[in-house]
Amino acid sequence: MIALPWPPPYLSPNARKHWAEKHRAFKNYKAQCMWAMLAHTKALKGKAVFTITFCPPDNHRRDRDNMIAAFKAGQDAIAAVTGVDDRHFVVTYRVGEPRQHGAVLIEITDQAEAAA
């Protein structure tokens, strides 16, 4: 399991920020995610089936669609590390228990499990 940082608030679809601020936040978050996955590059190469668990930083209610949208930069980082276009990803999204500072947990799922 790979723990990635929680997406910054600027990446939320509900954030009312200037596009340039969002772009900077997107690039920075993607780079953070790629650095976090650096030690797992061999395990990720060529993989396309994942379980992504969002562990928010607090107990505030969050919309699943907004969490997925805010994680777009992270998913792009996964695509860059795996070498697989993210349109070919098979992803199961879950919402986990809150953690201090929040996290997005990535688990590689076996292809056979995903087909079942």
Side-chain angles (χ1 to χ4, degrees), residues 53-105:
T53 305
F54 296 103
C55 298
D58 51 40
N59 284 321
H60 290 136
R61 292 183 58 166
R62 287 177 170 78
D63 183 68
R64 179 187 299 248
D65 291 339
N66 288 344
M67 287 188 284
I68 294 169
F71 186 64
K72 173 70 172 116
Q75 194 159 308
D76 286 354
I78 294 170
V81 171
T82 61
V84 177
D85 189 327
D86 61 357
R87 70 183 170 148
H88 298 295
F89 284 177
V90 177
V91 182
T92 301
Y93 294 103
R94 296 183 178 154
V95 179
E97 294 298 315
R99 291 181 166 208
Q100 186 175 13
H101 305 297
V104 179
L105 307 176

